[in-house]
Amino acid sequence: MQGYIAKRILIAIFTIFAVMTVVFFVFRLGPADPVAVMLSPNATPQDAENLTKKFGLDKPLIIQYGNFLKNVSKGDFGTSFRFNEPALKVLFERFPATLKLGLAAFFVSVSMGLCLGILSAVKPDSIIDRLGRLLALAGMSLPSFWVGVMLILFFGVTLRWLPIAGRGTAMHYVMPTLCMSLYPIALITRLSRSSMLDALKSDYVTMARIKGVPEFYVIMLHAFKNAAIPVITVIFGLFGALMVGSAVVVEYIFSWPGIGRLVMESYFARDYPVVQIFVIFVTFVVVSLNLIVDIVYAYIDPRIRYQ
Amino acid sequence: MQTNQDNILELQNVTTTFFTKQGEVKAVDDVSFRVGKGETVGLVGESGCGKSVTSLSIMRLVPQPAGKIVSGKILFRNEDLMQKTEEEMRHLRGDRLSMILQDPMVAMNQLLTVGKQLGEPYVFHDKVKGSLQGMCIDLLRKVKVPAPESRVNDYPFQFSGGMSQRALIAMGIANNPDLLIADEPTTALDVTIATQVLKLMKEIQGETNSSIILITHDLATVAQICTRVLVMYAGRIVESAPIKTFYKNPAHPYSVGLIQSVPVLGRSVERLASISGQPPSLFAMPEGCRFAPRCDKAHKKCFKAYPPKTQLEDDHSAACWLYVKD
Ligand SMILES: Nc1ncnc2c1ncn2[C@@H]1O[C@H](COP(=O)(O)OP(=O)(O)O)[C@@H](O)[C@H]1O
Ligand code: SF4
Ligand SMILES: [Mg+2]
């Protein structure tokens, strides 16, 4: 068990390191010259040289990489060209907004997805099952930017029920959360439905019924515990990636002041250190979530725990 | 026929159908038989003839939503199970009426300890007295699992096949049921362990006086512990006989074939040396006797209509035109 977790942690650290390296070189090898971007139109060549020196851009790439790693180990991920502040600080200032929206979407999609999935597996072809399948189809096929725009048009512009941008009240959360949750709800519903159906057909479930175990325990203790294993991977593993991906789109559509919007702004402004820290941070989040999945697996499945 | 009072179970014309996309399958077709108190009845027949579905029908646990018991009566302790509510059935299951599923490795939940699963018949029938853990350990001891004190905390994957089967039997007998259906309890095991498991079941029956339906396709197993045999072919019971009569005087040509194909103890009915051909597809049942295409005694009548059940002597009946006098 300890060996298992230690191995996962090592893999996680290696993944983050690898991504950092790739990110470093991709941004350095890119065609755009960040110094040119930062300079005001009437700057002198001397200014350009100073800036280049200041950011260490005159050194060979490999030295720059060494410095980068040295700085990273000190928690220094570079300075935002745009704000002239540490990139990490810029990111963290905007992170709470994303986190709150992400958590809202997380709870909505997990609870809705699991409920719909379990209920439709328990009663196949019932109204709930049909509804769930329709929702799953919609969620899988409609792109979130389109859903976002439609929501704004319908609830924001036509009905004027909900605010269309910004954040502050609970009402501000409704549309972005909905927009962000649709795909995960669809995914979790479909997955939990099919793995619940498999579990409910299995012999250990029949055996539990033979023993006179009440149906509620049969479903939750016997079937769901087994069905949860593949669902957990998706919930945590894919979730980080999904959230970040849709955060970028959703935050942009709803003018949500989170890191998704920040990275879009920074990208257009060629503020590479911020884009870079965003990618590294996202990797960190996704890798951590995967690590949690692995540990949760070991907790649920004795076959892994006793390895 | 004995009086009803002597029966623990009586099936009357039970038909269980699967409604599938490919069509309707009568997996159990107009099946009637009885099981006396304390009796061990063997239910034999080739794979796919409907033995498991018959047992699941008795438990009222036919796979949903495709399967349905479409007609018949299932009298258990003289009460028709078909009239019971789901909650009434739940109270009977695992308490008065129990079953051991075919494959012990998949019949146990891999994510719960053996002890947790053993305790369920006690917990959900309010039978816990003192320590539940202690009760589970006693149960494991009863089915002769070594070191039950530590084994009770193991997970199923830590059990061998033989031990899993024992644990599964333990779950079945926890509350000393009036009727235990054991679905091929020895098929997955090698011969020595199979013999031990059978001996164990016999011992337990001696203590609890449960009735047992032993499903198997191994006639040697039947010879070892059964008092009566039911032979099933393509969804129907074709012969019912006391064990001695069955071996000495089998009536149905299929039974004769079965016995002839098992000259050696332990050989399985799966390989029917003396009966050529395959059982009919349940989707395309022949109109007449289902065994007719494989039967060397078949005559014209056999292909026209299904033979009625004929009482040959006390407690011995067969469904074959050879015995129908007109
Ligand atoms: N879940 C199911 N869906 C459809 N048909 C089934 C199902 N389970 C069993 N059957 C049908 O019932 C027949 C009898 O199966 P079963 O009782 O398991 O045979 P066995 O005698 O080997 O235990 C099979 O041949 C199969 O066609
Ligand atoms: S009814 Fe005819 S075909 Fe069927 S078993 Fe008897 S003799 Fe054979
Ligand atoms: Mg079977």
Side-chain angles (χ1 to χ4, degrees), chain B residues 269-303:
Chain B
V269 185
E270 285 297 87
R271 284 159 278 144
L272 291 175
S274 65
I275 311 176
S276 58
Q278 293 285 315
S281 155
L282 294 181
F283 290 109
M285 215 44 106
E287 236 175 82
C289 173
R290 284 155 194 198
F291 188 55
R294 298 167 81 186
C295 181
D296 49 10
K297 300 238 170 55
H299 45 288
K300 233 183 181 169
K301 216 176 188 177
C302 302
F303 293 92

Side-chain angles (χ1 to χ4, degrees), chain A residues 25 143 188 215 238:
Chain A
F25 285 105
I188 296 171
E215 197 58 17
L238 257 177

Side-chain angles (χ1 to χ4, degrees), chain A residues 3-46:
Chain A
Y4 169 82
I5 293 178
K7 204 162 105 192
R8 301 290 127 165
I9 292 177
L10 276 180
I11 292 175
I13 291 173
F14 177 78
T15 310
I16 293 172
F17 177 77
V19 168
M20 271 190 335
T21 305
V22 170
V23 164
F24 175 86
F25 285 105
V26 165
F27 283 122
R28 294 313 178 282
L29 296 176
D33 176 8
V35 172
V37 176
M38 274 182 289
L39 289 171
S40 60
N42 44 13
T44 61
Q46 184 56 43

